[in-house]
DNA sequence: GAGATATGTCAACATCACTGACGTATATCG
DNA sequence: CGATATACGTCAGTGATGTTGACATATCTC
């Protein structure tokens, strides 16, 4: 009797049991928190914030980006972008060049210092992700039950979390498991 | 010159080729953006924001949470928490009960309406994650080359992104691949 | 030359975070 | 019991980042 209606049929549908997926939802929160935590701290020393990081990141990795493209990527208003972009340009981390085919465009590039700074930030984030891929945290040694790819996603996300925090996250989620019974 | 493939020879280090990992870093950004996008829009109708969502989420899933525990989970100050918590209590979505073993504690619970609202938010997020696990987006049909679990992570994160946005993300990242040569 | 487009900017405002200080209720310990 | 610590609440001020709305300027397109 497929209760076909909504969506998450924990029973027989090809989809995930809800309990495990709930864990993934929370792991995503914790993983993302730590994922942006490193750059946040590094940039704070320069007086920059996460918004500056996002601009630096995309300009560094996609040199020659236009303002419009950047706005579309970041999904913020041009006023919001302009505030942080102005900081970065004034401090010489980003430079603008007038577009050659369309002189209205301001193509964005990192300066030497901007590239150095951003490479540093990227290095830290890439390292965290690469390690999480290489050494996912095996959480459920029950093996065998990963037809769906939960354990893989769970191991990856848990490995993205700061090691000292993992115990706290695990014991929190164990608490839900208990109260479900 | 090592033939075989582009450039990224993970060769000896157990770690990931940097190019692919860069993609994962960005996919994480886009995936998280869309992951929180649904609840953001739903809560905006109630005049609530993301901070309210986080409180509702953890109180709903871990009934009886204390203020201190919630502060530790969210990593914000009690002043920040209090602002949103006050909103939620005044509007009857969350109730406080004095702790029985320690009467200083205020144990947090969702009311009926709070539970209904939060279940709705959770449903949307769980659905997105469950689908991404069940139907990861196969991006590199080259197969075979996933000894490290990149393709799996990439497929999961891409599937977390709003379907209409995937083409844009793909073409953006293709642009980096091009400029690397 | 008219109108669309790309960008910059001013002003006002909302959300969500922070610090610092202080108040109250309750628990714990000597 | 009294001192001290803990859990929580709150006032006041500030900063980062987002929003809307309006308007200016340069440049492209027709």
């Amino acid at each position: 009797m497929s209760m076909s209606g909504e969506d998450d049929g924990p029973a027989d549908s090809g989809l995930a049991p809800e309990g495990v997926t709930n864990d993934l939802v929370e792991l995503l929160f914790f993983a993302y928190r730590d994922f942006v935590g490193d750059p946040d701290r590094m940039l704070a020393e320069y007086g920059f914030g996460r918004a500056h990081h996002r601009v630096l990141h995309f300009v560094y990795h996609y040199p020659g980006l236009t303002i419009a493209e950047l706005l579309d990527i970041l999904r913020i208003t041009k006023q919001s972008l302009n505030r942080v972009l102005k900081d970065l340009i004034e401090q010489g981390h980003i430079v603008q060049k007038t577009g050659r085919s369309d002189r209205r465009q301001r193509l964005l590039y990192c300066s030497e210092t901007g590239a150095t700074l951003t490479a540093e930030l990227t290095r830290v984030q890439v390292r965290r992700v690469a390690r999480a891929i290489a050494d996912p945290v095996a959480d459920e040694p029950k093996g065998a039950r990963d037809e769906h790819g939960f354990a893989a996603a769970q191991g990856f996300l848990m490995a993205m979390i700061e090691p000292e925090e993992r115990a706290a996250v695990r014991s929190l989620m164990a608490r839900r498991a208990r109260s479900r019974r």
Side-chain angles (χ1 to χ4, degrees), chain A:
Chain A
M1 30 113 99
S2 81
M3 12 212 45
S4 58
E6 297 320 277
D7 45 343
D8 38 12
D12 50 355
S13 88
L15 284 194
E18 185 176 319
V20 197
T21 312
N22 265 324
D23 284 357
L24 290 183
V25 168
E26 276 160 36
L27 283 172
L28 220 31
F29 168 76
F30 292 116
Y32 197 78
R33 180 191 67 183
D34 290 350
F35 172 64
V36 295
D38 292 325
D40 276 2
R41 277 186 296 276
M42 296 166 69
L43 284 163
E45 298 173 8
Y46 293 75
F48 291 148
R50 197 173 300 176
H52 299 89
H53 180 203
R54 292 198 278 251
V55 171
L56 281 172
H57 175 95
F58 285 104
V59 170
Y60 174 74
H61 289 283
Y62 303 97
L65 223 45
T66 68
I67 300 287
E69 285 168 332
L70 194 46
L71 288 175
D72 187 57
I73 290 171
L74 300 177
R75 298 289 167 80
I76 58 177
T77 59
K78 64 180 172 180
Q79 295 91 328
S80 288
L81 173 58
N82 219 268
R83 184 157 11 101
V84 296
L85 189 53
K86 198 188 298 185
D87 293 343
L88 293 168
I89 290 172
E90 280 171 359
Q91 303 205 19
H93 291 108
I94 285 184
V95 293
Q96 293 182 319
K97 299 184 186 177
T98 298
R100 56 278 165 275
S101 67
D102 185 337
R103 294 177 45 80
R104 290 171 303 181
Q105 295 179 333
R106 302 297 145 86
L107 309 185
L108 301 170
Y109 296 88
C110 275
S111 69
E112 273 294 319
T113 77
T116 304
L117 170 57
T118 311
E120 190 77 4
L121 301 169
T122 295
R123 201 176 58 78
V124 176
Q125 288 194 305
V126 161
R127 186 177 51 190
R128 183 183 291 268
V129 173
R131 285 182 178 168
I133 292 282
D135 289 323
V137 174
D139 234 341
E140 314 258 346
K142 319 194 167 180
R145 276 277 287 157
D146 195 24
E147 325 111 41
H148 297 291
F150 291 119
Q154 200 162 333
F156 168 65
L157 291 175
M158 185 64 82
M160 288 285 293
I161 297 175
E162 206 60 33
E164 314 88 60
E165 312 287 355
R166 288 175 199 160
V169 171
R170 251 190 292 263
S171 79
L172 177 72
M173 297 192 325
R175 183 164 161 179
R176 170 169 54 227
R178 275 198 307 281
S179 67
R180 279 279 178 230
R181 273 178 271 158

